[in-house]
């Protein structure tokens, strides 16, 4: 397996485009289309928020079919909390793309992101879809990735290549997300293409497994969005033997490729947390169960006190152990251990009395790893997050103004 530079058009048979339709006040790219030139299997996971956006309702139905050809996305308006009109607008987006590409409506996923509670400007949006479909080609991956962004400060994309069944297979993805990030399922938008040949039901299982190991291990602020969607299209042009079950000899190799791409994108989201100045990796070991390990890691990663301490470069490690302790995970306080940047600060529940001056250089780094041992078992988990800065409050306090 190797990582390449590229876009969602890197796998065979995929074209894409992003355009400026005037939906965003900034005038930036805001409508995108991704298209497989041949039929493709699909797999997807969506937000579990009970207040879910109209496009999520439409896309869930598409995913039930197991096959799809296109994804249409707009940024600048979430089309959430918009009632029946919102649903009609999402279906109109779907039909319009289908007509332009001469495919069935139920082969088109629909996604939106932006401010909640506003209706889509359908005139601008439909004109934007016209322009995006007209611009579709294998060089449109970058503008496509730009068009799905909201408060992101950089484009999130990646391509992985590996051998499956003696054939070269590529998996490529783009994602958006910087705030309102909390697992349940992926808490952002991500679109992944691959030329691997995978049966629909098997692809769905692989997508869920990959999401659990990547996007479900990222937290920025503890808020789960209304529009979260992770969609994967697999068109089979790599001509590998079809992966027909989880016991197929090539399933593990495919899952590893998919997970690598998803994990890469997930870490980019954590690095780009709104106002972030630090990328934080939280490792929990010694847990009684995998669920407990994740629970403790998430509690640490979500803690405003932990996150602000790292922003202030203050090695206030008591906040980290405190979060693990209240998380609900089983823990033996007399066996607990904690290290930051490889420096042991707590062992067997006791302060190692490391001088603060010795941690100054670690806390000044951009990428910081911490490890907590719960002292009760052998399970572990890793969660990625970022710090909380003054800028986070500014961005979200002024999001609509």
């Amino acid at each position: 397996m190797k990582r390449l530079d590229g876009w969602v058009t890197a796998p065979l048979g995929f074209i894409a485009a992003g355009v400026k339709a005037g939906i965003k006040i900034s005038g930036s790219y805001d409508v995108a289309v991704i298209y497989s030139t041949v039929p493709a299997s699909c797999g997807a996971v969506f937000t579990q928020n009970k207040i879910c956006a109209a496009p999520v309702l439409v896309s869930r139905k598409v995913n039930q079919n197991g096959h799809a050809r296109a994804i249409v996305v707009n940024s600048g308006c979430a089309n959430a909390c918009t009632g029946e009109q919102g649903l009609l607008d999402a279906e109109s987006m779907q039909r319009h793309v289908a007509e332009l590409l001469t495919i069935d409506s139920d082969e088109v996923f629909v996604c939106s992101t932006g401010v909640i509670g506003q209706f889509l400007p359908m005139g601008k949006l439909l004109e934007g879809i016209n322009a995006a479909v007209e611009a579709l080609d294998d060089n449109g991956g970058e503008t496509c990735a730009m068009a799905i962004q909201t408060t992101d400060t950089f484009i999130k994309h990646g391509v992985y290549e590996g051998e499956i069944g003696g054939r070269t297979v590529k998996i490529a993805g783009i994602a958006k997300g910087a705030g309102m990030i909390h697992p349940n399922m992926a808490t952002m938008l991500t679109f992944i293409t691959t030329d691997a040949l995978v049966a629909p039901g098997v692809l769905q299982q692989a997508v869920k497994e990959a999401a659990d190991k990547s996007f479900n291990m990222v937290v920025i602020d503890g808020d789960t969005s209304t529009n979260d969607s992770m969609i994967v299209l697999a068109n089979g042009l790599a001509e590998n033997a079809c992966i027909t079950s989880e016991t197929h000899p090539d399933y593990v190799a495919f899952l590893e490729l998919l997970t690598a791409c998803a994990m890469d994108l997930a870490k980019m989201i954590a690095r780009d947390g709104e106002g972030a100045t630090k990328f934080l990796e939280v490792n929990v070991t010694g847990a009684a169960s995998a669920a407990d390990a994740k629970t403790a890691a998430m509690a640490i990663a979500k803690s405003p006190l932990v996150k602000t301490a790292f922003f202030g470069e203050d090695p206030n490690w008591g906040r980290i152990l405190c979060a693990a302790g209240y998380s609900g995970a089983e823990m033996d306080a007399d066996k607990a251990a904690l290290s930051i940047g490889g420096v042991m600060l707590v062992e067997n529940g006791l302060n190692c009395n490391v001088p603060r001056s010795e941690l100054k250089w670690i806390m000044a780094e951009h990428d910081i790893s911490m490890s907590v041992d719960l002292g009760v078992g052998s399970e572990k988990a890793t969660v990625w997050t970022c710090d909380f800065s003054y800028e986070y409050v500014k961005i979200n306090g002024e999001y609509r103004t």
Side-chain angles (χ1 to χ4, degrees):
M1 181 194 312
K2 60 181 178 180
R3 191 186 191 284
L4 308 174
D5 189 30
W7 307 93
V8 290
T9 53
L12 297 171
F14 286 96
I15 52 179
V19 299
K20 301 175 181 179
I23 299 172
K24 286 180 179 174
I25 296 173
S26 66
S28 299
Y29 289 89
D30 50 21
V31 173
V33 174
I34 299 169
Y35 178 56
S36 175
T37 57
V38 298
S41 299
C42 66
V45 283
F46 302 95
T47 183
Q48 298 301 303
N49 194 324
K50 290 182 173 60
I51 303 294
C52 68
V56 172
L57 299 176
V58 171
S59 290
R60 280 176 177 162
K61 291 182 180 178
V62 174
N63 194 50
Q64 290 173 359
N65 299 323
H67 293 87
R69 296 278 297 274
I71 304 168
V72 59
V73 194
N74 77 271
S75 57
C77 177
N79 192 12
C81 297
T82 48
E84 184 63 25
Q85 186 59 52
L87 189 59
L88 291 173
D89 289 344
E91 292 172 342
S92 179
M93 290 174 65
Q94 184 184 42
R95 281 196 309 273
H96 195 58
V97 171
E99 289 169 1
L100 292 172
L101 295 174
T102 320
I103 59 178
D104 294 334
S105 289
D106 61 8
E107 293 182 287
V108 182
F109 282 101
V110 181
C111 294
S112 298
T113 183
V115 178
I116 293 170
Q118 297 182 355
F119 292 111
L120 290 167
M122 291 305 292
K124 292 179 179 179
L125 180 50
L126 295 180
E127 288 181 10
I129 290 173
N130 289 341
V133 169
E134 185 176 347
L136 284 170
D137 65 30
D138 55 10
N139 293 314
E142 184 173 8
T143 55
C144 176
M146 293 169 67
I148 71 174
Q149 294 180 298
T150 49
T151 59
D152 304 67
T153 64
F154 63 86
I155 301 173
K156 302 166 181 69
H157 66 106
V159 180
Y160 281 79
E161 180 182 274
E163 187 174 295
I164 296 179
R167 308 292 298 186
T168 298
V169 167
K170 288 182 180 177
I171 290 183
I174 57 173
K176 65 81 52 181
M180 198 172 271
I181 303 293
H182 181 56
N184 205 357
M185 59 77 208
T187 61
M188 78 294 109
L189 297 181
T190 188
F191 310 116
I192 295 177
T193 59
T194 178
D195 46 24
L197 183 59
V198 188
V202 181
L203 181 60
Q204 178 61 36
Q205 178 59 31
V207 170
K208 186 179 184 307
E209 288 189 52
D212 284 343
K213 295 175 181 177
S214 57
F215 300 112
N216 277 349
M217 302 304 281
V218 174
V219 59
I220 301 299
D221 47 24
D223 279 332
T224 297
S225 173
T226 55
N227 293 57
D228 311 331
S229 303
M230 173 188 180
I231 299 169
V232 181
L233 299 179
N235 66 17
L237 287 180
E239 298 182 342
N240 57 289
C242 186
I243 302 172
T244 54
S245 72
E246 295 166 53
T247 59
H248 189 281
D250 295 329
Y251 179 77
V252 171
F254 173 73
L255 180 61
E256 286 178 351
L257 266 180
L258 178 60
T259 302
C261 185
M263 194 174 291
D264 199 1
L265 295 170
K267 290 180 180 180
M268 290 182 206
I269 289 173
R271 289 182 183 279
D272 197 27
E274 289 172 338
T277 69
K278 310 285 186 185
F279 171 71
L280 307 176
E281 182 177 271
V282 182
N283 298 291
V284 169
T285 61
S289 66
D292 265 12
K294 181 177 178 179
T295 295
M298 278 291 171
I300 296 166
K302 286 191 296 180
S303 166
L305 291 179
V306 171
K307 292 160 79 69
T308 51
F310 278 95
F311 170 65
E313 301 184 357
D314 177 12
N316 193 348
W317 55 260
R319 295 179 176 184
I320 299 171
L321 283 186
C322 179
Y326 68 58
S327 68
E330 187 178 345
M331 183 177 185
D332 187 337
D334 293 328
K335 294 181 179 178
L338 165 67
S339 64
I340 299 178
V343 176
M344 187 67 71
L345 302 179
V346 177
E347 194 167 16
N348 292 323
L350 298 175
N351 187 354
C352 294
N353 294 310
V354 176
R356 180 172 175 170
S357 59
E358 292 187 19
L359 294 171
K360 186 175 181 180
W361 68 272
I362 293 175
M363 299 302 290
E365 294 289 322
H366 180 274
D367 292 13
I368 306 174
S369 176
M370 68 197 86
S371 297
V372 176
D373 191 324
L374 302 182
V376 291
S378 59
E379 295 295 332
K380 60 184 179 179
T382 298
V383 167
W384 301 285
T385 188
C386 62
D387 60 341
F388 269 165
S389 69
Y390 308 129
E391 189 66 18
Y392 176 86
V393 177
K394 186 177 190 302
I395 289 169
N396 285 284
E398 300 174 357
Y399 186 66
R400 301 203 318 157
T401 57

